[in-house]
């Protein structure tokens, strides 16, 4: 039976690109029945425009649902709209959107984080209970931390990427955002599971009930997560939070991730390289704003892409094109893959002794709008979130107090396919401070 | 260190038109970022990761295609079921 | 003629005859269908779609690799070849680069003197085809293109040779043999439009190499290479430099033209396809059972059927012809070899028919009629022509049985004695020829025999007729 869901909440933060005032859902008896869910606008929705926050996809209506959207519908969810984001996921603030920036629900002069800023703001501002985001280098965890909500980046391959408009295929995952660990757990259980259409995905469904029982859980705290560039007040909040986990029975130890020295560079080389290729299909022929077909294809494509891609997207395409070009592949792309493997090995080594790695999600609280105008300084803000993407391991951000009245996020990272343990640690913290 | 005309060359390869007046800023940002990437020179040669998932294959069984109408639905110009594109000759 | 200074290497793109495309479940059987009706989000390159590799295509590639003696490395993977073109929906082609599915093989062909030689195969890799472009011109002269993506993501294997070929004819022989090998492996259908495309690298020893791209026929390869050799030799003779460049072959005009693209513009920025997992299939090769291949079948035909090497070569060059021959050889393998190789193939070629349009039952019947001396060879050809002229392709019913044609047209062979009356008429009607004969011009008898043959529509056995005619002429001597 199809039912109606009226979505009338005010969008104070510019969280949505597309809103459905009347969303339909099916009475499926599923765990999300009758719940309004927001979906990041880089996840394909049949019949609903999907823009990736870019002018180059204006007017595009996918003829198919992403796997996760199918799962949402099967679970009885009402998809209420598509949320704002940095264009193609390229940003840490949701300022790089063709549809204007989203603002932070806690302070309208600040950014919500990015790139899933719209999803995080929609949840943080109470418009929806849960939303889907995608995380390439922190794009779920960063806005979750900045908006004071919970966000989980799953293990690479646990959630099908089919229908996620690719920015950096080898790094990104779709994941849940919610106000509570329980909500995030529920949404995760809906979207995880096998999908033959994503041949990089595993058959590892997620059926878990969060448990606060973490006595004996071993938590490693990397010194690099509290190093230069991390706001001391943020660091203190996070250390206090780790203390709460000890109170709940966890054992803590210090550890080191030496590959953090070059992880961010490896990340940006990899994601820009993949992006330079992924974004080649936006040529205005089969979809997107029209091209003048009487001009030569080369002139037309160049102008089309030069006009309709935003500056940050252009910058990353150029960086990636350069990193893959003849004579530079070895110095950049190939080296980045070795670096990436080193990061993975560092994690595997630590996870021999520890169950969880804990630290801040972001080195600072939410930036002021316009604060990060220099690209490199924006990139540097991702330093604590990219390692989990490079290693492919699951990571959650859970709110752990405030600094200057702005939320701080505690990041908990687990072994491959141990989302359950990561969720339990986050749940234990949530209960401890409740 | 890349120069403005290097960036122009890369833009050409990437099929993106960069305005002349933006080239200077692009080039300086580019150099900042590339300088940061130089840290990768400290990574000694080693193994790339090995995939644990291999031979993920599909059986050779036909599945339904889109209708011509659906295939062309997002294209701006069509002609006799074809999609129009800029000229190549 | 083999010329040791000509250096040729080939890159051959062959369409694999899988049921579905390389990375999606769309049917490959689109010939004659409307444009953009065999497409889906994957082969249209819609945002968010992901490739799924066709297992059959991998198995076919491995089969070819085994037949051409290539090694299958432990790990192979797909890479993206990045370039822009309106027929390439994703802006990159999923291909293989530094980890192809198979490497280092050999195929034997005859050189121009008929001696066998080994051509080294560098590699075989799997890749997807782009869509198809139609160039349109409009009234205001600014043209545009139309794209049909039905072909997009059709599976291809690219077979790359070392520069071991020494003449255009040798290259043609290599391609013919490759084609027949692929057909024997049942991985390829040479009759499909665009099923094979060749890029040929050619140079004269000591000079720059030229790449001729996108030659789409076997004949075209030979033509393009001949043209290039002449062009390059002329330049060398005039003391001019040969540009290292890519040239396009214009099939219609039989010439190559410079495509004015400099080699260094082709920076394809290959990198591993992140949406596909690697292949570890070297262990699969042992399980692949190869069918009898053309060389082995040719040898067998010679020993089993006692036919000449030339006949065996012609009959085994094409899988369907070889199968056809074997199904009609029972009646009389020697007569069958002559009738299939020397007569039938020419007759169907003339009519643009295919061998599978001809029912084997009918040809077996014809061979039996010849074997049993029921009709003359000449009548046999007539029967065959009458039959083929009314054969409607696949419809076996329309193909009249030779025995019925013989009855209908009264072509049963007759002995010379039956034609006494006709011989008398011919002798009476041609006194000059008879006089010539008596004057010692023995050749005149051929003319007279020919007249009888004409009048009897070839039903007479020529040997028999000669004897009776000689007797009749003797009688006119008195």
């Amino acid at each position: 039976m199809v039912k109606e869901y009226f979505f009338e909440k005010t969008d104070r933060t510019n969280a949505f690109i597309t809103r459905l005032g009347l969303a339909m859902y099916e009475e499926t008896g599923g765990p999300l029945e009758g719940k309004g869910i927001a979906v990041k606008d880089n996840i394909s929705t049949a019949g609903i425009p999907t823009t990736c926050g870019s002018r180059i996809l204006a007017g595009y209506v996918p003829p198919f649902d992403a796997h996760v959207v199918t799962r949402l519908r099967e679970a009885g969810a009402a998809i209420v709209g598509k949320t704002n984001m940095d264009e193609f996921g390229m940003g840490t603030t949701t300022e790089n959107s063709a549809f204007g920036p989203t603002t932070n629900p806690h302070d309208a002069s600040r950014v919500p984080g990015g790139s899933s800023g719209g999803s995080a703001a929609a949840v943080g501002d109470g418009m929806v209970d849960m939303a889907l985001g995608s995380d390439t280098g922190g794009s779920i965890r960063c806005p979750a931390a900045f908006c004071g909500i919970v966000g989980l980046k799953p293990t690479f391959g646990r959630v099908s990427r089919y229908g996620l408009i690719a920015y950096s295929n080898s790094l990104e995952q779709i994941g849940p955002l919610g106000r509570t660990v329980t909500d995030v757990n529920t949404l995760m259980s809906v979207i995880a599971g096998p999908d033959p259409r994503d041949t990089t995905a595993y058959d590892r469904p997620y059926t878990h009930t969060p448990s606060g029982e973490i006595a004996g859980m071993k938590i490693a705290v990397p010194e690099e997560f509290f190093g230069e560039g991390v706001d001391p007040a943020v660091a203190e909040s996070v250390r206090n939070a780790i203390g709460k986990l000890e109170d709940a029975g966890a054992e803590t130890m210090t550890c080191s991730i030496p590959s953090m020295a070059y992880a961010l560079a490896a990340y940006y080389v990899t994601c820009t390289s993949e992006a330079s290729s992924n974004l080649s299909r936006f040529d205005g022929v089969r979809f997107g704003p029209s091209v003048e077909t009487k001009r030569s294809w080369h002139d037309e494509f160049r102008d089309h892409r030069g006009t309709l891609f935003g500056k940050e997207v252009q910058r990353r395409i150029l960086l990636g094109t350069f990193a893959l070009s003849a004579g530079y592949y070895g110095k950049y792309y190939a080296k980045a893959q070795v670096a990436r493997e080193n990061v993975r090995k560092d994690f595997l080594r630590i996870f021999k002794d520890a169950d969880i790695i804990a630290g801040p999600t972001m080195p600072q609280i939410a930036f002021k709008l316009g604060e990060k105008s220099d690209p490199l300084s924006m990139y540097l803000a991702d330093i604590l979130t990219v390692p989990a993407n490079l290693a492919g391991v699951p990571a959650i951000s859970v709110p752990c107090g405030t600094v200057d009245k702005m939320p701080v996020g505690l990041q908990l990272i687990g072994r491959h396919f141990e989302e359950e343990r990561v969720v339990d640690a986050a749940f234990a913290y949530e209960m401890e401070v409740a | 260190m890349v120069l403005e005309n290097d960036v122009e060359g890369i833009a050409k390869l990437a099929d993106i038109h960069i305005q002349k007046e933006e080239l200077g800023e692009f080039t300086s940002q580019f150099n900042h970022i590339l300088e940061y990437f130089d840290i990768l020179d400290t990574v000694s040669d080693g193994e790339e990761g090995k995939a644990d998932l291999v031979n993920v294959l599909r059986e050779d069984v036909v599945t339904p295609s889109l209708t011509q109408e659906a295939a062309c639905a997002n294209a701006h110009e069509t002609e006799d079921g074809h999609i129009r594109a800029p000229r190549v000759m | 003629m083999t010329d040791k200074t000509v250096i040729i290497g080939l890159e051959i793109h062959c369409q694999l005859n899988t049921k579905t495309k390389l990375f999606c479940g769309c049917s490959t059987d689109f010939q004659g269908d409307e444009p953009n009706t065999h497409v889906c989000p994957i082969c249209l390159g819609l945002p968010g779609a992901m490739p799924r590799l066709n297992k059959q295509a991998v198995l076919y590639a491995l089969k070819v690799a085994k037949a051409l003696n290539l090694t299958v490395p432990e790990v192979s993977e797909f890479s993206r070849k990045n370039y822009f073109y309106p027929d390439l929906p994703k802006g990159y082609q999923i291909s293989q680069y530094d980890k192809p599915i198979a490497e280092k093989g050999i195929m034997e062909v005859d050189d121009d003197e008929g001696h066998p030689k080994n051509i080294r195969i560098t590699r075989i890799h799997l890749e997807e085809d782009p869509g198809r472009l139609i160039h349109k011109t409009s009234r205001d002269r600014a043209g545009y293109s139309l794209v049909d993506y039905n072909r997009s993501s059709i599976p291809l294997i690219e077979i790359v040779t070392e520069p071991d070929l020494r003449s255009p004819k040798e290259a043609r022989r290599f391609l013919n043999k490759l084609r027949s090998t692929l057909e024997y492996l049942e991985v390829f259908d040479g009759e499909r439009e665009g099923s094979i495309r060749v890029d040929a690298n050619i140079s004269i020893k000591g000079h720059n190499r030229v790449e001729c791209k996108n030659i789409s026929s076997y004949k075209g390869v030979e033509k393009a290479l001949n043209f290039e050799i002449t062009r390059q030799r002329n330049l060398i003779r005039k003391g001019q430099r040969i540009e290292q460049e890519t040239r396009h072959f214009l099939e219609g005009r039989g010439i190559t033209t410079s495509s004015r693209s400099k080699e260094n513009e082709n920076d394809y920025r290959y990198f591993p396809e992140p949406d596909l997992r690697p292949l570890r299939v070297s262990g699969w090769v042992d399980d692949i059972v190869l069918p009898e291949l053309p060389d082995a079948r040719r040898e067998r035909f010679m020993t089993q059927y006692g036919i000449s090497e030339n006949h065996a070569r012609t009959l085994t060059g094409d899988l369907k012809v070889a199968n056809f021959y074997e199904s009609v050889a029972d009646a009389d393998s020697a007569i069958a070899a002559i009738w299939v190789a020397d007569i039938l193939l020419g007759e169907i070629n003339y009519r643009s028919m295919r061998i599978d349009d001809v029912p084997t039952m009918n040809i077996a019947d014809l061979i039996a009629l010849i074997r049993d001396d029921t009709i003359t060879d000449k009548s046999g050809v007539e029967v065959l022509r009458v039959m083929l002229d009314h054969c409607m392709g696949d419809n076996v019913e329309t193909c009249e049985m030779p025995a019925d044609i013989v009855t209908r047209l009264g072509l049963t062979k007759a002995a010379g004695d039956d034609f006494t009356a006709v011989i008398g008429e011919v002798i009476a009607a041609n006194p000059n020829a008879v006089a010539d004969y008596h004057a010692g011009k023995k050749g005149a008898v051929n003319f007279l025999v020919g007249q009888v043959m004409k009048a009897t529509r070839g039903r007479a056995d020529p040997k028999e007729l000669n004897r009776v005619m000689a007797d009749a002429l003797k009688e006119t001597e008195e």
Side-chain angles (χ1 to χ4, degrees):
Chain A
M1 182 79 179
V2 179
K3 301 199 89 173
E4 293 175 335
Y5 182 96
F6 293 94
F7 183 56
E8 288 156 339
K9 301 237 170 74
T10 310
D11 187 1
R12 298 185 309 138
T13 60
N14 189 31
F16 284 86
I17 291 173
T18 303
R19 287 185 56 160
L20 302 179
L22 172 62
M24 312 304 280
Y25 68 94
E26 282 225 45
E27 277 187 309
T28 60
L32 297 177
E33 188 174 306
K35 281 209 177 286
I37 305 283
V39 175
K40 189 177 181 179
D41 208 21
N42 60 350
I43 298 172
S44 303
T45 41
I48 305 173
T50 299
T51 68
C52 287
S54 181
R55 287 201 288 153
I56 210 157
L57 270 172
Y60 173 63
V61 181
F64 65 101
D65 271 334
H67 177 73
V68 292
V69 172
T70 305
R71 301 285 299 226
L72 287 184
R73 294 194 201 276
E74 286 167 359
I79 293 162
V80 298
K82 305 297 292 292
T83 55
N84 201 8
M85 55 183 286
D86 288 297
E87 187 176 0
F88 288 100
M90 298 181 183
T92 312
T93 62
T94 315
E95 292 168 292
N96 298 328
S97 167
F99 300 87
T102 297
T103 55
N104 194 301
H106 295 264
D107 177 348
S109 71
R110 291 181 188 269
V111 302
S115 62
S116 313
S119 287
V123 173
D125 205 31
M127 295 181 76
V128 289
D129 289 340
M130 289 167 255
L132 288 184
S134 68
D135 190 314
T136 310
S139 285
I140 288 173
R141 290 161 288 157
C142 159
F146 282 5
C147 294
I149 62 166
V150 184
L152 171 67
K153 179 205 92 75
T155 305
F156 185 83
R158 191 140 193 193
V159 177
S160 167
R161 290 182 290 118
Y162 193 84
L164 171 67
I165 299 180
Y167 154 30
S168 182
N169 330 50
S170 74
L171 294 162
E172 62 205 7
Q173 276 286 289
I174 296 170
L177 297 104
R179 265 192 303 281
T180 65
V181 173
T182 305
D183 280 351
V184 163
N185 185 76
T186 303
L187 191 48
M188 179 66 190
S189 71
V190 168
I191 62 173
D195 176 15
R197 295 173 300 177
D198 174 357
T199 63
T200 68
Y202 296 75
D203 184 1
R204 295 292 286 264
Y206 181 87
T207 49
H208 182 61
T209 309
S211 153
E213 272 303 315
I214 60 162
M217 187 183 272
K218 297 195 179 80
I219 296 178
V221 182
E223 55 204 31
E224 291 83 359
F225 273 57
F226 297 87
E228 196 191 333
V230 179
D231 178 342
V234 168
E236 197 194 328
S237 272
V238 171
R239 285 202 190 279
N240 288 341
I242 294 169
K244 298 275 185 207
L245 290 171
E246 285 175 330
D247 295 347
E251 298 167 22
T252 59
M253 61 184 88
T254 56
C255 70
S256 172
I257 308 175
S259 57
M260 289 272 291
Y262 44 73
L264 191 75
Y267 168 78
Y268 271 96
V269 168
T270 304
C271 70
T272 58
S273 296
E274 291 180 7
S276 73
S277 173
N278 287 328
L279 271 57
S280 294
R281 68 185 63 191
F282 301 98
D283 58 13
V285 175
R286 295 163 315 289
F287 50 84
S290 67
V291 284
E292 174 48 71
T293 56
K294 300 257 171 90
R295 288 181 75 200
S296 104
W297 63 274
H298 195 65
D299 293 342
E300 189 55 28
F301 286 176
R302 283 182 63 192
D303 284 356
H304 186 76
R305 295 156 57 79
T307 313
L308 297 173
F309 279 140
K311 290 291 153 241
E312 182 59 27
V313 171
Q314 294 183 348
R315 186 156 37 241
R316 292 197 195 190
I317 291 175
L318 294 197
L319 277 169
T321 302
F322 182 65
L324 290 173
S325 65
Y328 293 97
Y329 181 90
K331 178 175 165 66
Y332 295 112
Y333 184 85
K335 263 290 162 64
Q337 302 323 301
V338 177
R340 180 175 182 171
E341 178 62 8
N342 291 348
V343 173
R344 202 177 73 94
K345 282 180 181 154
D346 275 349
F347 274 92
L348 293 180
R349 174 179 48 76
I350 295 166
F351 282 134
K352 275 186 189 148
D353 304 317
D355 303 309
I356 293 285
I357 294 171
T361 305
M362 296 298 290
Q364 292 156 281
I365 56 166
F367 323 128
K368 291 279 189 187
L369 285 160
E371 182 183 331
K372 298 277 174 188
S373 57
D374 171 59
L376 184 59
S377 75
M378 167 109 82
Y379 299 173
L380 291 171
D382 298 338
I383 182 78
L384 304 179
T385 46
V386 299
N389 300 83
L390 290 167
V393 291
I396 201 167
S397 179
V398 61
C400 67
T402 57
V403 167
D404 293 341
K405 295 184 188 153
M406 291 306 290
V408 174
L410 164 69
Q411 182 175 207
L412 301 164
I413 306 170
R415 298 189 188 96
H416 291 98
F417 299 105
E418 289 193 4
E419 278 83 350
E420 292 84 349
R421 205 183 290 257
V422 169
V423 162
D424 284 349
F427 189 61
Y429 175 75
E430 205 179 61
M431 303 220 313
E432 200 65 30
V433 296
Chain B
M1 177 78 179
V2 294
L3 305 172
E4 282 191 18
N5 63 346
D6 296 325
V7 173
E8 254 184 317
I10 298 160
K12 204 172 168 202
L13 195 55
D15 244 15
I16 289 180
H17 179 70
I18 303 289
Q19 305 286 339
K20 271 263 181 274
E21 57 272 22
E22 286 173 348
L23 258 181
E25 197 188 5
F26 253 101
T27 306
S28 94
Q29 289 168 338
F30 226 81
N31 280 315
H32 263 108
I33 296 164
L34 291 180
E35 212 173 289
Y36 182 78
F37 286 175
D38 280 345
I39 186 96
L40 287 172
D41 292 343
T42 65
V43 179
S44 44
D45 289 332
E47 290 258 309
E48 285 185 22
K50 281 200 187 106
D52 53 348
L53 208 56
V54 296
N55 303 338
V56 189
L57 300 162
R58 167 180 65 81
E59 295 301 323
D60 189 21
V61 176
V62 174
T63 52
S65 296
L66 294 173
T67 61
Q68 191 184 63
E69 194 191 359
C72 297
N74 277 292
H76 275 267
E77 290 182 84
T78 58
E79 189 175 318
D80 303 330
H82 291 87
I83 295 175
R84 269 213 210 189
R87 69 183 161 87
V88 291
M89 307 286 263
Chain C
M1 193 186 67
T2 302
D3 178 339
K4 299 281 186 240
T5 66
V6 172
I7 300 166
I8 299 167
L10 301 176
E11 292 167 18
I12 306 126
H13 306 254
C14 310
Q15 179 176 336
L16 297 174
N17 61 0
T18 53
K19 291 189 189 71
T20 65
K21 294 183 177 183
L22 187 54
F23 297 118
C24 65
C26 288
S27 163
T28 54
D29 187 18
F30 59 79
Q31 271 189 51
D33 285 352
E34 283 275 297
N36 297 312
T37 52
H38 291 247
V39 294
C40 70
I42 299 170
C43 57
L44 278 175
L46 293 189
M50 296 174 74
R52 283 181 74 190
L53 181 57
N54 184 340
K55 184 178 184 181
Q56 191 68 275
V58 172
L59 289 171
Y60 281 178
L62 292 176
K63 211 170 173 187
V64 177
K66 189 167 184 170
L68 301 184
N69 314 296
L70 282 88
T71 307
V72 174
E74 198 183 316
V75 181
S76 58
E77 71 183 15
F78 287 87
S79 290
R80 290 186 184 177
K81 180 180 185 178
N82 294 287
Y83 67 95
F84 288 97
Y85 210 65
D87 64 3
L88 190 67
K90 299 187 291 295
Y92 56 84
Q93 177 192 32
I94 305 179
S95 180
Q96 296 193 290
Y97 182 54
D98 52 351
K99 291 175 184 163
I101 193 158
E103 297 170 310
K104 294 197 179 80
I106 270 173
M107 192 168 86
E108 194 187 88
V109 289
D110 285 350
D111 66 16
D112 290 353
E113 274 79 44
H115 305 305
K117 66 181 276 192
N118 282 336
I119 306 300
R120 289 169 298 161
I121 314 283
T122 316
R123 58 186 271 157
I124 293 179
H125 69 249
L126 275 163
E127 64 184 25
E128 58 176 342
D129 218 359
R132 202 169 73 93
L133 276 186
I134 300 170
H135 310 294
K136 293 288 249 192
T137 43
S138 56
R139 229 170 289 152
D140 56 8
R141 292 236 176 142
Y144 57 94
S145 315
L146 294 178
V147 205
D148 172 10
Y149 295 98
N150 282 348
R151 177 173 286 285
S152 172
S153 200
I154 289 288
L156 306 175
I157 45 170
E158 180 173 334
I159 300 169
V160 182
T161 79
E162 293 289 312
D164 289 349
L165 295 158
R166 291 293 170 269
S167 81
K169 279 209 162 63
E170 200 172 289
R172 174 99 182 257
R173 268 196 302 279
F174 176 87
L175 285 174
N176 284 339
K177 180 157 180 198
L178 181 66
R179 174 192 166 138
S180 87
T181 303
L182 295 177
E183 284 182 344
Y184 271 61
L185 295 171
E186 295 182 307
V187 302
F188 173 75
D189 178 2
E191 281 162 8
R192 278 202 212 196
E193 183 199 333
S195 60
I196 198 161
R197 277 175 324 235
V198 179
D199 299 341
N201 290 303
I202 175 157
S203 61
I204 307 293
K205 201 170 181 181
H207 298 271
N208 273 331
R209 183 168 58 93
V210 168
E211 186 178 18
C212 299
K213 272 203 172 297
N214 253 322
I215 314 169
S216 56
S217 73
Y218 304 85
K219 231 183 264 171
V221 172
E222 197 180 336
K223 265 199 212 163
L225 289 171
N226 276 325
F227 177 86
E228 265 305 302
I229 292 171
T230 310
R231 187 187 70 86
Q232 293 183 21
R233 285 206 188 291
N234 283 342
L235 287 174
I236 293 167
R237 198 169 40 242
K238 286 187 248 169
Q240 287 171 359
R241 202 181 118 82
I242 292 167
E243 289 297 325
Q244 177 164 341
E245 62 175 350
T246 300
R247 296 178 70 86
H248 278 274
F249 178 60
L250 305 178
E251 196 102 41
R253 296 168 60 192
I255 62 167
T256 67
T257 59
S258 176
S259 53
R260 270 175 285 166
S261 80
K262 290 193 189 86
E263 292 258 316
N264 58 11
E265 274 183 20
N266 296 336
D267 186 347
Y268 292 124
R269 291 159 283 136
Y270 284 99
F271 74 103
E273 166 60 66
D275 280 340
L276 290 170
R277 287 296 170 213
L279 290 173
R280 282 180 177 269
V281 290
S282 55
W284 295 10
V285 179
D286 294 338
D287 297 333
I288 292 174
V289 181
L290 291 179
E292 186 183 38
L293 293 174
D295 286 347
R297 201 167 195 185
R298 188 180 72 228
E299 295 292 324
R300 178 166 67 78
F301 274 22
M302 289 163 64
T303 51
Q304 182 178 341
Y305 298 115
I307 60 176
S308 72
E309 185 174 354
N310 263 340
H311 274 151
R313 192 180 291 278
T314 307
L315 293 171
T316 56
D318 181 319
L319 175 65
K320 287 174 180 163
V321 173
N323 290 343
F324 189 95
Y325 171 74
E326 291 216 80
S327 57
V328 300
D330 272 357
D332 184 315
S333 61
I335 294 176
I338 294 165
W339 278 81
V340 176
D342 299 343
I343 301 166
L344 178 63
L345 289 181
E347 293 293 332
I348 60 171
N349 198 28
Y350 173 72
R351 287 169 179 75
S352 303
M353 291 171 75
R354 295 172 311 166
I355 191 79
D356 12 353
D357 295 337
V358 185
T360 52
M361 202 171 62
N362 296 41
I363 300 300
D365 186 43
L366 177 65
I367 290 163
L369 292 171
I370 303 283
R371 177 198 62 198
D372 299 342
D373 248 1
T374 311
I375 56 172
T376 62
D377 285 359
K378 199 156 187 275
S379 297
V381 172
E382 187 179 346
V383 169
L384 182 64
R385 287 177 179 164
V386 167
M387 184 186 89
L388 293 179
D389 283 343
H390 296 92
C391 249
M392 301 292 287
D394 309 340
N395 192 350
V396 178
E397 308 281 299
T398 65
C399 223
E400 199 177 356
M401 287 303 281
D404 297 340
I405 299 172
V406 168
T407 312
R408 182 161 61 81
L409 300 181
L411 291 174
T412 309
K413 180 157 96 181
D417 295 341
D418 292 347
F419 295 113
T420 318
V422 181
I423 289 168
E425 279 164 29
V426 166
I427 286 174
N430 294 284
N432 289 346
V434 175
D436 283 351
Y437 175 78
H438 293 309
K441 288 186 187 164
K442 297 296 173 202
V445 75
N446 293 337
F447 171 75
L448 294 166
V449 165
Q451 292 303 303
V452 177
M453 276 297 208
K454 202 172 162 188
T456 61
R457 301 190 48 223
R459 285 185 299 129
D461 178 15
K463 259 191 233 149
E464 186 79 359
L465 182 57
N466 272 321
R467 186 181 57 77
V468 182
M469 177 63 83
D471 291 348
L473 284 170
K474 249 184 219 141
E475 278 171 34
T476 62
E477 226 166 345
E478 283 106 27

